[in-house]
Amino acid sequence: DIREMKLTKIATEKGRQKYAVITGNDTEVTERLTRVFKEAVLKMDYAQNMIVVKTLDGMGMAVAVALDNMNSEILGTIAGDDTVFCVVRTHNQAAVIIEKLYRIIHSA
């Protein structure tokens, strides 16, 4: 529902989080989602074909939206408050995706 409504969580001036409508062209949206992903993810791990992403409190849904838009190899995501659960097809894919995601986090 959040994705269909084109909403994402953003930080307010007081350090809290709120939902905001995604506006602008696709490049701006991609950059914003990448920034949200980089700032909100704390750690990631995988087991078999499942990836678990731990996020800052309240950022699980925003990171799930970012993952859904950044990576077509992920079959689906389920988000909680501070955790995102992703399913991919194979164990090997999970390892490769984790590497790609860590490269995004550590990129300038």
Side-chain angles (χ1 to χ4, degrees):
D1 294 340
I2 297 293
R3 194 173 341 137
E4 289 174 14
M5 295 171 53
K6 297 193 179 204
L7 295 176
T8 188
K9 262 191 183 173
I10 61 170
T12 65
E13 294 87 28
K14 296 180 181 179
R16 301 196 53 136
Q17 303 291 321
K18 71 174 186 175
Y19 284 104
V21 176
I22 298 172
T23 58
N25 63 34
D26 288 342
T27 303
E28 290 174 9
V29 171
T30 301
E31 289 173 4
R32 181 176 292 167
L33 290 173
T34 301
R35 188 173 64 248
V36 165
F37 180 80
K38 289 171 74 168
E39 292 176 2
V41 172
L42 299 175
K43 64 182 179 176
M44 296 180 283
D45 205 350
Y46 69 98
Q48 297 300 325
N49 68 323
M50 298 172 283
I51 299 171
V52 177
V53 181
K54 296 299 285 179
T55 72
L56 296 171
D57 289 342
M59 294 300 291
M61 182 61 72
V63 169
V65 170
L67 285 167
D68 286 338
N69 285 282
M70 288 188 321
N71 201 315
S72 62
E73 296 165 324
I74 293 175
L75 298 175
T77 59
I78 299 173
D81 185 57
D82 65 352
T83 306
V84 180
F85 177 79
C86 309
V87 176
V88 298
R89 293 193 190 282
T90 68
H91 172 77
N92 291 337
Q93 250 185 336
V96 170
I97 290 169
I98 288 269
E99 286 179 32
K100 287 180 185 178
L101 295 175
Y102 272 119
R103 274 186 259 145
I104 289 170
I105 290 172
H106 299 298
S107 67

